[in-house]
Amino acid sequence: QLQLVESGGGLVQPGGFLRLSCSASGTLDRYAIGWFRQAPGKEREGVSCISRRDSIIKYADSVKGRFTISRDNVKNMVYLQMDSLKPEDTAVYFCEAVAWRLGCTVVGGEGWYDYRGQGTQVTVSS
C-alpha cells in the first residue's frame, strides 16, 4: 500500500508562488502522478500530471503557463511549482499515484489513480 504525503501548502498573496511536494513510502518513479485540487463546495479538479519515465506531462488549461510539475528521483519527490497564484487557486491539493496505467490524466474521475494523499491547503488571499 503506497502512502503519499503532500507538503508545501500555505497562505500566499495573489501573484505569489508556492512549491508543493509529494513524497511516498515507495519509489515514486514507478508511478504516474497526478495533482488534483478541491475547493469548498466545488468538484475535484485535475491540475497536472506526469507519467512514468516523465514521457507525458499535462496541465489543466486553468494553470498552463503558471504551474510546473517535475520529478526528482534521487529525492523520491514529485513537485508542483505554482507561480502567479490567483485567489481561484485556493483549494486543498492532493497528489495521486498509479503504477499500472500508461500515461497520466488530469480529467480522470475518482479511481483512475489508486492512491491519494491527505492533501495540503493552499490559500491565495491578500
Side-chain angles (χ1 to χ4, degrees):
Q1 189 80 0
L2 183 72
Q3 293 183 333
L4 300 171
V5 178
E6 303 91 340
S7 61
L11 172 64
V12 63
Q13 292 186 342
F17 64 91
L18 286 172
R19 188 178 76 162
L20 304 184
S21 300
C22 176
S23 61
S25 57
T27 304
L28 276 178
D29 66 1
R30 299 176 181 175
Y31 296 83
I33 302 296
W35 281 99
F36 291 80
R37 67 187 181 186
Q38 189 161 20
K42 294 188 177 181
E43 293 187 354
R44 172 177 168 272
E45 176 189 15
V47 176
S48 182
C49 69
I50 186 167
S51 65
R52 290 179 290 158
R53 301 188 182 93
D54 304 352
S55 57
I56 296 172
I57 289 177
K58 299 179 181 178
Y59 298 97
D61 288 343
S62 58
V63 306
K64 278 182 183 176
R66 300 189 298 121
F67 290 11
T68 304
I69 192 170
S70 63
R71 190 194 295 269
D72 185 330
N73 292 330
V74 173
K75 294 183 178 180
N76 197 37
M77 301 280 270
V78 174
Y79 302 106
L80 184 68
Q81 177 69 39
M82 307 189 298
D83 298 320
S84 302
L85 283 162
K86 304 176 180 180
E88 51 263 44
D89 295 318
T90 295
V92 178
Y93 284 70
F94 303 88
C95 64
E96 302 187 7
V98 64
W100 58 275
R101 292 187 187 271
L102 298 177
C104 68
T105 183
V106 294
V107 296
E110 298 278 356
W112 199 94
Y113 294 87
D114 291 334
Y115 304 100
R116 187 187 200 192
Q118 293 299 308
T120 185
Q121 176 70 47
V122 171
T123 303
V124 184
S125 175
S126 55

